[in-house]
């Protein structure tokens, strides 16, 4: 038995672990939905899958890859500004602090895993077809190909919906923290760190990679701010007490707290002078 166990472990590759992690995330999310979002164990399993799949990518990229003297100096910034690390970090926060499920925290990971699984299966099947073998039954492959086409055609909408969930999740966490719900402050602080990591590239170069959708997140926060401002303006004309709330929001929250949060510098992550890119005008 021990010999068989060792042989089995030898056959497990990083690729299989990565794929299994995404499958675990997707399957757990679907089962969690079928449980009417009541099973905390299934909710936690979603993030176990996330940690496994994203952890494999980070291990391969930063631990197994040979380092030179020049790359060692920049490794900390590279790791923290890597979208895989950022989502690994927040998944760890959700896993540790979850006393009950939170629907808004699931969509980004569900969408990531769905795209990765379909892409992986499609590529595997192409390789198998070239060798006259079948990775999965033809009928199942036809279904998956059609599903992949549907998801790809609606990718923009899905990514935007995922980003909106991240925005409203922040509002939800803020409300929970204000009302001192269980572990809410830990979750809020963890989420603020996650947002700050997403803003690293934006603060340093004013350029945002398409991969981590940071610009989309910023746009959705701006959209939410505009809706709040419009609503407060509308109700303040008929209710003087709302005017006070509007002043607090505009003068304190927006002009002090948010600006200070954006200007916070994370140690060791500021770009060296020679690395800085000329700032763009964002009028």
């Amino acid at each position: 038995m021990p010999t068989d166990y060792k042989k089995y472990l030898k056959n497990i590759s990083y690729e299989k672990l990565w794929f299994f992690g995404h499958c675990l995330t997707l399957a757990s999310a679907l089962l969690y939905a079928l449980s009417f979002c009541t099973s905390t164990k299934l909710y936690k399993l979603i993030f176990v899958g996330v940690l496994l799949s994203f952890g494999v990518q980070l291990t391969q990229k930063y631990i197994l890859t040979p380092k030179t003297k020049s790359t060692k100096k920049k490794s900390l910034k590279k790791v923290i500004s890597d979208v895989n690390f950022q989502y690994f970090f927040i998944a760890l926060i959700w896993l540790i602090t979850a006393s009950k499920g939170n629907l808004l925290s699931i969509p980004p990971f569900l969408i990531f895993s769905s795209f990765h699984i379909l892409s992986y299966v499609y590529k595997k099947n192409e390789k198998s077809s070239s060798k006259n073998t079948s990775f999965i039954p033809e009928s199942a492959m036809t279904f998956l190909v059609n599903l992949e086409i549907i998801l790809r055609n609606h990718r923009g909408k899905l990514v935007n919906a995922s980003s909106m969930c991240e925005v409203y999740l922040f509002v939800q966490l803020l409300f929970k923290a204000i009302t001192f719900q269980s572990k809410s402050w830990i979750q809020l602080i963890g989420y603020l760190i996650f947002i700050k990591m997403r803003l690293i590239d934006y603060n340093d170069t004013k350029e945002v990679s398409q991969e981590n959708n940071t610009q989309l997140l910023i746009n959705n926060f701006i959209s939410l701010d505009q809706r709040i401002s419009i609503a407060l303006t509308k109700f303040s004309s008929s209710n003087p007490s709302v005017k006070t709330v509007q002043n607090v929001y505009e003068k304190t929250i927006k002009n002090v707290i948010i600006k200070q949060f954006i200007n916070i510098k994370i140690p060791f992550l500021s770009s060296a002078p020679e690395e800085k890119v000329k700032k763009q005008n964002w009028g």
Side-chain angles (χ1 to χ4, degrees):
M1 180 66 79
T3 306
D4 294 337
Y5 180 72
K6 288 180 180 179
K7 285 182 180 179
Y8 178 74
L9 286 178
K10 285 181 180 179
N11 290 328
I12 297 177
S13 64
Y14 283 106
E15 181 183 301
K16 290 176 182 176
L17 283 174
W18 171 86
F19 182 66
F20 175 75
H22 282 301
C23 288
L24 181 61
T25 298
L26 180 58
S28 300
L30 295 176
L31 290 173
Y32 179 67
L34 291 174
S35 74
F36 298 100
C37 306
T38 56
S39 174
T40 306
K41 288 182 180 179
L42 286 172
Y43 178 76
K44 288 187 174 184
L45 267 178
I46 294 171
F47 300 108
V48 171
V50 172
L51 294 178
L52 184 58
S53 56
F54 282 64
V56 166
Q57 286 183 288
L58 291 170
T59 300
Q60 288 183 308
K61 192 171 183 179
Y62 297 106
I63 296 177
L64 299 181
T65 304
K67 294 181 177 67
T68 62
K69 288 184 179 180
S70 59
T71 56
K72 282 182 181 178
K73 292 179 181 179
K74 301 175 184 177
S75 61
L76 181 60
K77 180 181 168 96
K78 278 189 175 182
V79 171
I80 295 180
S81 61
D82 190 320
V83 66
N84 293 309
F85 175 81
Q86 293 163 7
Y87 280 98
F88 180 92
F89 170 81
I90 198 60
L92 184 62
I93 295 293
W94 300 147
L95 179 63
I96 293 172
T97 61
S99 53
K100 59 181 181 179
N102 188 331
L103 275 175
L104 289 174
S105 64
I106 298 174
F109 301 105
L110 181 61
I111 292 170
F112 286 154
S113 292
S114 298
F115 277 116
H116 281 304
I117 289 170
L118 288 171
S119 177
Y120 178 82
V121 171
Y122 182 76
K123 288 177 182 177
K124 271 288 183 181
N125 192 69
E126 275 193 334
K127 289 181 180 179
S128 299
S129 298
S130 63
K131 297 177 182 178
N132 296 322
T133 58
S134 181
F135 178 64
I136 59 174
E138 189 176 340
S139 58
M141 192 61 212
T142 302
F143 169 76
L144 291 175
V145 168
N146 290 331
L147 181 60
E148 197 268 342
I149 291 171
I150 292 170
L151 290 179
R152 190 172 65 242
N153 289 340
H154 294 85
R155 183 184 181 92
K157 292 179 181 178
L158 289 170
V159 172
N160 186 59
S162 171
S163 179
M164 286 303 299
C165 284
E166 291 179 332
V167 171
Y168 287 114
L169 177 58
F170 171 72
V171 176
Q172 183 197 65
L173 292 174
L174 190 60
F175 175 78
K176 284 184 175 181
I178 292 171
T179 54
F180 294 97
Q181 295 184 30
S182 176
K183 298 178 182 178
S184 57
W185 278 99
I186 298 173
Q187 291 182 332
L188 179 61
I189 291 170
Y191 199 68
L192 286 172
I193 294 171
F194 167 71
I195 295 294
K196 188 60 185 177
M197 288 192 291
R198 296 280 296 275
L199 294 173
I200 289 173
D201 288 339
Y202 182 80
N203 284 337
D204 283 345
T205 66
K206 300 298 181 186
E207 292 178 356
V208 181
S209 67
Q210 190 175 359
E211 182 185 10
N212 61 21
N213 299 302
T214 304
Q215 187 62 61
L216 181 60
L217 181 68
I218 293 168
N219 292 343
N220 284 328
F221 267 114
I222 292 171
S223 177
L224 176 65
D225 165 56
Q226 290 171 344
R227 291 178 201 170
I228 292 173
S229 297
I230 291 170
L232 289 174
T233 302
K234 182 179 179 180
F235 288 108
S236 63
S237 58
S238 58
N239 192 334
S241 60
V242 177
K243 185 68 177 177
T244 305
V245 175
Q246 183 183 25
N247 289 334
V248 170
Y249 178 73
E250 295 289 342
K251 295 179 181 178
T252 306
I253 297 177
K254 281 178 64 174
N255 293 332
V256 179
I257 297 175
I258 294 177
K259 282 187 178 180
Q260 289 302 316
F261 172 73
I262 291 172
N263 291 329
I264 291 173
K265 296 294 182 184
I266 300 177
F268 310 113
L269 296 182
S270 298
S271 295
E274 64 271 18
E275 292 177 336
K276 286 188 178 178
V277 180
K278 187 177 179 180
K279 293 185 178 180
Q280 300 177 7
N281 292 322
W282 290 79

